[in-house]
Amino acid sequence: QLQLVESGGGLVQPGGSLRLSCAASGFTLDYYAIGWFRQAPGKEREGVSCIRTSGDSTNYADSVKGRFTISRDNAKNTVYLQMNSLKPEDTAVYYCAADWACSSWPNEYNYWGQGTRVTVSS
């Protein structure tokens, strides 16, 4: 019953921007922390960012600090990841995940979206 759907991925040039969305259904997003993760071919899934229920606490992986911004709009049951100054190494499938608390560890999350692909290339 609890579903997350990512959208907004695509092909962008280095230095470009994308905004990813994570829309929730079957539950009220207010009660959940949301994490963004990404996985590139041949690599383990890594935490990118997370946001707590109130939105007053966020964290970012060192690799994206200063470039990515996570936010939430509880009225729309949606969490966003604004991605600026994109680099080729940002290429990956991006997933959002929900759980009771914010964590950078994938196994702490119970609910996952299907992923949206981001490709950064000239």
Side-chain angles (χ1 to χ4, degrees), residues 65-112:
K65 285 181 179 178
R67 300 188 297 120
F68 291 9
T69 302
I70 190 170
S71 62
R72 65 192 302 151
D73 186 342
N74 288 342
K76 297 182 178 180
N77 252 7
T78 301
V79 170
Y80 304 97
L81 185 68
Q82 179 66 45
M83 308 164 65
N84 297 327
S85 301
L86 284 163
K87 304 174 181 179
E89 51 263 44
D90 295 318
T91 296
V93 176
Y94 284 72
Y95 301 88
C96 65
D99 205 77
W100 300 109
C102 193
S103 174
S104 62
W105 303 105
N107 62 2
E108 296 292 332
Y109 290 82
N110 292 322
Y111 308 104
W112 292 84

Side-chain angles (χ1 to χ4, degrees), residues 36-76:
W36 282 98
F37 296 81
R38 66 186 182 186
Q39 188 165 25
K43 294 185 177 181
E44 295 184 353
R45 189 168 299 187
E46 64 172 337
V48 176
S49 182
C50 64
I51 186 168
R52 300 195 67 179
T53 56
S54 66
D56 62 357
S57 180
T58 60
N59 66 266
Y60 301 90
D62 289 341
S63 60
V64 306
K65 285 181 179 178
R67 300 188 297 120
F68 291 9
T69 302
I70 190 170
S71 62
R72 65 192 302 151
D73 186 342
N74 288 342
K76 297 182 178 180

